[in-house]
Amino acid sequence: NNIAHQWRQPLSIITTITSGIKLQRKFNALDNESIDTSMGKINNTVLHLSRTIDDFRDFFNPNKSKMNFYLNDTIAKTLKLLEASILSNNIVVLKRIEDISLFGLENELIQVFINILNNARDELIKKELIDKLILIDVFKKDDVLEIHIKDNAGGIPKNIINDIFDSHFTTKQDTNGTGIGLYMSKMIINELMDGAIKA
């Protein structure tokens, strides 16, 4: 279930790209540059799928090697993986990211960002908004790294906000939601990144 949940979006990205290529070919609008760009995106997405398997295989392995990475690069990698679904739904991502490095597990943090941004995207799609926005702020406050992710989809209902990080809690029963994404995100941030996550 965990892997299926993580794979659904990247597989959708691949499907979107290949459908776009077919459509461009049908209308004789396919050129070498767009083929190269599309193949590059598919390759990156497949590499992400492969890394996801490795991430799950040794999810709580205490011998994982942590590394230094810059949050700006990490968020850029995340948005690249989600680019097709964000652009196709006319969502604008606004970023204010301080140049901060972090010592930890970058791939796991990308998983958290994907989970949160996918949830934001899903809610924005439901709304009839002229401007669909996701805001990402990254800054240091009193020697603590803070990452704030917001959207303008209307917020999480108060009657469920305390449950969203529980295992198997989902509001997406009608679309095969597993309730794993935010629970996993909490485990990654709390157990592997020595942090805290809240809504």
Side-chain angles (χ1 to χ4, degrees):
N1 281 343
N2 292 357
I3 291 172
H5 188 73
Q6 293 301 324
W7 274 43
R8 197 168 285 121
Q9 182 57 35
L11 289 174
S12 175
I13 289 172
I14 292 170
T15 302
T16 301
I17 293 170
T18 55
S19 297
I21 291 170
K22 285 181 180 177
L23 197 62
Q24 285 178 303
R25 189 182 68 183
K26 183 177 179 180
F27 292 102
N28 294 321
L30 196 59
D31 57 46
N32 288 338
E33 185 179 346
S34 62
I35 290 173
D36 289 344
T37 301
S38 295
M39 293 303 111
K41 288 178 183 175
I42 289 172
N43 189 50
N44 287 338
T45 305
V46 169
L47 289 173
H48 169 70
L49 290 170
S50 178
R51 283 195 302 266
T52 300
I53 294 172
D54 294 335
D55 290 344
F56 280 107
R57 187 173 54 199
D58 56 6
F59 189 70
F60 282 112
N61 181 355
N63 297 320
K64 284 186 172 187
S65 56
K66 295 185 176 183
M67 55 183 265
N68 279 308
F69 56 90
Y70 282 90
L71 266 297
N72 201 20
D73 294 337
T74 305
I75 290 169
K77 289 176 188 176
T78 305
L79 293 174
K80 191 171 186 181
L81 290 169
L82 301 176
E83 183 179 38
S85 67
I86 287 174
L87 290 177
S88 66
N89 288 295
N90 300 313
I91 296 170
V92 175
V93 179
L94 303 172
K95 299 171 289 181
R96 288 184 300 193
I97 303 172
E98 290 183 12
D99 194 25
I100 299 171
S101 69
L102 182 64
F103 184 73
L105 301 163
E106 184 181 31
N107 279 346
E108 280 75 1
L109 190 57
I110 288 173
Q111 293 286 342
V112 172
F113 289 152
I114 286 173
N115 288 330
I116 294 169
L117 292 172
N118 277 344
N119 284 347
R121 180 208 61 214
D122 291 347
E123 289 303 311
L124 286 166
I125 290 170
K126 294 177 188 175
K127 306 289 192 284
E128 293 184 18
L129 298 167
I130 295 171
D131 297 311
K132 297 176 182 176
L133 305 173
I134 295 176
L135 300 97
I136 303 173
D137 290 314
V138 178
F139 56 92
K140 252 185 175 178
K141 183 179 177 184
D142 301 326
D143 288 329
V144 173
L145 169 66
E146 294 201 16
I147 302 167
H148 294 198
I149 301 174
K150 307 173 197 170
D151 61 59
N152 65 331
I156 301 166
K158 289 181 181 178
N159 62 319
I160 64 165
I161 197 163
N162 293 325
D163 302 323
I164 63 170
F165 294 108
D166 293 350
S167 175
H168 299 294
F169 177 83
T170 183
T171 59
K172 303 174 186 175
Q173 295 89 344
D174 54 336
T175 56
N176 297 320
T178 61
I180 294 295
L182 290 179
Y183 173 70
M184 276 183 42
S185 298
K186 181 180 178 181
M187 297 298 286
I188 290 169
I189 296 298
N190 290 358
E191 304 293 331
L192 301 180
M193 304 293 289
D194 298 320
I197 186 169
K198 63 182 180 177

